[in-house]
Amino acid sequence: MEDVVESENLKAALAQVKRNKGAAGVDGMTVGELSAHLKEHWPAIRAQLLDGTYKPQPVRRVEIPKASGGLRPLGIPTVLDRLIQQAVMQVLQADWDRTFAETSFGFRPGRSAHRAVERAQAYIAAGHSIVVDIDLEKFFDRVNHDILMGLVAKRVADKRILKLIRAFLNAGVLEGGLVSPTEEGTPQGGPLSPLLSNLMLDVLDKELEKRGHRFVRYADDCNIYVPVSGRANGCWLASRGSSKSASSSRSTKRRARLPNRVFASSWASASPAGKNRGGASRRRHSPASRRRFGSSRDARVVDASCRSPKNCRPT
């Protein structure tokens, strides 16, 4: 925690919060008012952080249009909480980022969607032109807090930081004048949420690497690139004892389970009606979905929600 409240780290965090701008949280304080607030109240806030008694305020719920249609819920923390989250994120990211997968491109320093597309195009050019598109339905809304905090605790020994991260997760949501508890999910809108999500999904990345798959992940979007002569039907998604075929070919079926203990509670168990418990939506993928990771006319996209090889045809 001493690294979090260190002067240079806080200056960098404050500068980033100001660059990001953004709307006010539940207390109505704007980014422009933050510096004056800190001059008066920072000593007390710092003391609370160091003794583990700081209590974040609820996030303000807003909804923004999604490019694919519908609305995306965001949780807007107060500007003070955004500053503290940013300061925590900078310290943790400096330690964690080097351990994340090389083919994870979302919300990481020095990486971008453009680099994700370049990697995907390189896989396709090398002959891996069958694309298995994994859609983790509403991942950010369904992350299991206990499982996530277990992963954080493996990397963070300072109990004050663990308590603070748990407090951010459980801060609650203000919507329609009422504050509701948050029992799952990492609300999109705060600086800490992307890092925690990458930590959660790093388990998936490591499993895919262990199996030798070529893949690209950007946040909760993940594509696996399979050679035409490869055994695409060897990619199986399983949760709670239920397996779904992830692609198709003429070769013999074989199962390979993903780590149930991490994902079953976080997103598989909360799947709504009409969705696979593996988190993949039952749909064919739109041109926008194919463009996301650079699929070209030479690439074939297969649906990760197919139930059997004979039904899993490239789209």
Side-chain angles (χ1 to χ4, degrees):
M1 185 62 77
E2 283 74 13
D3 292 338
V4 172
V5 300
E6 188 267 331
S7 177
E8 292 303 315
N9 185 56
L10 286 170
K11 288 179 182 178
L14 179 59
Q16 185 61 50
V17 169
K18 289 181 177 180
R19 282 193 296 269
N20 291 343
K21 299 179 181 180
V26 297
D27 61 357
M29 185 189 302
T30 65
V31 173
E33 298 169 334
L34 179 58
S35 295
H37 179 81
L38 292 174
K39 288 180 180 179
E40 182 178 354
H41 299 286
W42 177 247
I45 296 170
R46 183 178 186 276
Q48 291 173 7
L49 290 169
L50 289 174
D51 63 22
T53 60
Y54 181 82
K55 185 176 181 181
Q57 297 190 63
V59 299
R60 182 170 63 87
R61 174 72 75 203
V62 298
E63 293 182 328
I64 61 173
K66 297 171 61 175
S68 58
L71 297 173
R72 182 189 307 280
L74 297 181
I76 308 300
T78 65
V79 290
L80 176 59
D81 285 341
R82 296 209 293 271
L83 170 68
I84 296 172
Q85 284 193 34
Q86 180 69 32
V88 172
M89 187 275 291
Q90 289 171 178
V91 172
L92 297 183
Q93 187 173 65
D95 184 46
W96 295 0
D97 190 74
R98 63 179 180 270
T99 70
F100 290 158
E102 176 65 24
T103 48
S104 168
F105 291 89
F107 309 112
R108 296 180 60 190
R111 295 168 180 266
S112 66
H114 292 290
R115 291 197 175 187
V117 169
E118 290 172 359
R119 179 64 63 89
Q121 290 174 334
Y123 286 152
I124 293 171
H128 295 75
S129 56
I130 294 179
V131 183
V132 182
D133 187 13
I134 301 176
D135 179 14
L136 306 181
E137 188 75 11
K138 295 186 177 180
F139 168 78
F140 288 93
D141 299 330
R142 295 176 181 162
V143 170
N144 182 290
H145 289 175
D146 292 334
I147 295 174
L148 174 58
M149 289 306 303
L151 295 173
V152 175
K154 292 179 180 179
R155 296 171 178 248
V156 176
D158 193 325
K159 295 187 182 300
R160 296 168 297 180
I161 293 182
L162 294 175
K163 183 179 179 181
L164 180 61
I165 293 175
R166 172 73 79 166
F168 279 124
L169 292 174
N170 295 337
V173 177
L174 177 65
E175 187 174 16
L178 299 175
V179 176
S180 303
T182 47
E183 298 176 350
E184 62 179 359
T186 58
Q188 298 180 73
L192 195 55
S193 178
L195 178 63
L196 296 178
S197 299
N198 272 334
L199 176 64
M200 191 78 170
L201 290 171
D202 187 58
V203 180
L204 171 62
D205 295 342
K206 294 300 190 291
E207 182 68 23
L208 294 177
E209 286 180 336
K210 178 182 176 182
R211 301 182 187 194
H213 290 307
R214 289 170 173 81
F215 69 96
V216 175
R217 183 176 65 80
Y218 191 96
D220 58 339
D221 292 318
C222 183
N223 284 357
I224 303 175
Y225 296 84
V226 184
V228 174
S229 59
R231 298 186 175 187
N233 70 321
C235 303
W236 286 70
L237 299 180
S239 63
R240 293 191 172 184
S242 175
S243 298
K244 307 289 186 292
S245 173
S247 58
S248 66
S249 77
R250 291 186 295 273
S251 57
T252 306
K253 295 187 296 182
R254 59 187 177 89
R255 292 186 181 182
R257 294 180 180 274
L258 294 180
N260 296 347
R261 65 180 182 82
V262 173
F263 296 106
S265 297
S266 61
W267 43 269
S269 63
S271 295
K275 303 291 181 183
N276 284 333
R277 286 202 284 177
S281 59
R282 297 173 187 168
R283 59 181 173 79
R284 292 296 183 183
H285 299 282
S286 66
S289 173
R290 301 184 191 190
R291 287 195 301 269
R292 185 169 58 231
F293 287 140
S295 300
S296 70
R297 63 183 180 181
D298 296 324
R300 294 182 290 169
V301 180
V302 291
D303 197 329
S305 64
C306 295
R307 290 182 176 272
S308 64
K310 67 180 181 180
N311 294 326
C312 295
R313 299 188 181 93
T315 59

